[in-house]
Amino acid sequence: MADRAAMERVWDAHTDSEFVHRDVRVTMSTMTDSPTVIHVPTAMGGVGRGNVRDFYERWFIGRNPDDFALRSVSRTVGDERIVDEMVVSFTHDIEVPWILPAIGPTGREVRIPLVAVVGFHGESIDSEHIYWDQASVLAQTLLLDTGLVARLPVVTDQPGMLDGGIALNQLAENR
């Protein structure tokens, strides 16, 4: 069992090195010798140190818009795992391959909840499983047909849902 406060410090240093300092070397120093990173909605990431480093260098670190922001909603810390619920926001003014692979800038604002499930081995990160609603990203960037969005359970203001800012169960009335 790892020290929970140490796990939080490592996770915070990891995300700072990804998004603030944009330093692959420091990011990798927070991880085990054989980490796994999976961005589930886009099947991006890597298994093993070399593949994770390649993912960070080519597709993730330094590949975010200047206005990219993370806002913490909640964090749960267990014996060997952290679950972090955040709101991610950015203007899609550059290609962001880890969230919209092979899609050029749309100029649209994106704001979505994201959940990171982070596994630890000792005080080093062993795995990251990252989840978000890709349909919401596609709808906000106008890459999903608006007629389809109106008929499907696609919520374009998911953070509003988390904050209680939109009514729930509206899609059931459209049937």
Side-chain angles (χ1 to χ4, degrees), residues 19 64-71 86-90 110 112:
F19 299 112
N64 292 303
D66 288 338
D67 68 347
F68 185 90
L70 291 173
R71 179 179 61 84
M86 301 165 269
V87 173
V88 170
S89 62
F90 62 91
V110 175
I112 54 164

Side-chain angles (χ1 to χ4, degrees), residues 9 21 32 43 55 61 96 99 113 117 137-138 145 149 158 175:
R9 283 191 302 275
H21 308 295
T32 63
F55 166 69
I61 295 177
V96 186
I99 199 164
V117 180
V137 172
L138 295 172
D145 178 82
V149 170
Q158 289 189 1
R175 292 181 180 217

Side-chain angles (χ1 to χ4, degrees), residues 3-16 30 75 82 120 123:
D3 176 272
R4 291 179 181 193
M7 288 174 21
E8 286 193 88
R9 283 191 302 275
V10 168
W11 176 237
D12 290 339
H14 181 88
T15 57
D16 282 351
T30 65
R75 177 178 283 178
I82 290 176
F120 282 79
E123 294 178 4

Side-chain angles (χ1 to χ4, degrees), residues 17 22-30 49 53 57 61:
S17 65
R22 300 176 182 184
D23 189 324
V24 174
R25 184 189 58 76
V26 174
T27 302
M28 294 302 298
S29 74
T30 65
R49 195 161 190 85
R53 175 182 290 282
E57 288 175 341
I61 295 177

Side-chain angles (χ1 to χ4, degrees), residues 60-165:
F60 189 70
I61 295 177
R63 301 295 302 267
N64 292 303
D66 288 338
D67 68 347
F68 185 90
L70 291 173
R71 179 179 61 84
S72 178
V73 174
S74 70
R75 177 178 283 178
T76 303
V77 182
D79 291 340
E80 296 176 346
R81 191 166 326 283
I82 290 176
V83 178
D84 229 350
E85 182 182 23
M86 301 165 269
V87 173
V88 170
S89 62
F90 62 91
T91 303
H92 187 229
D93 56 6
I94 64 168
E95 183 183 354
V96 186
W98 64 273
I99 199 164
L100 286 166
I103 302 294
T106 62
R108 305 289 299 178
E109 291 184 19
V110 175
R111 199 168 79 109
I112 54 164
L114 178 143
V115 174
V117 180
V118 185
F120 282 79
H121 183 74
E123 294 178 4
S124 296
I125 296 169
D126 192 51
S127 64
E128 293 178 64
H129 299 165
I130 312 295
Y131 300 87
W132 66 85
D133 179 1
Q134 189 68 0
S136 182
V137 172
L138 295 172
Q140 290 177 47
T141 53
L142 302 180
L143 295 169
L144 192 60
D145 178 82
T146 55
L148 191 58
V149 170
R151 295 190 323 267
L152 293 175
V154 177
V155 179
T156 57
D157 185 21
Q158 289 189 1
M161 180 172 45
L162 293 178
D163 299 338

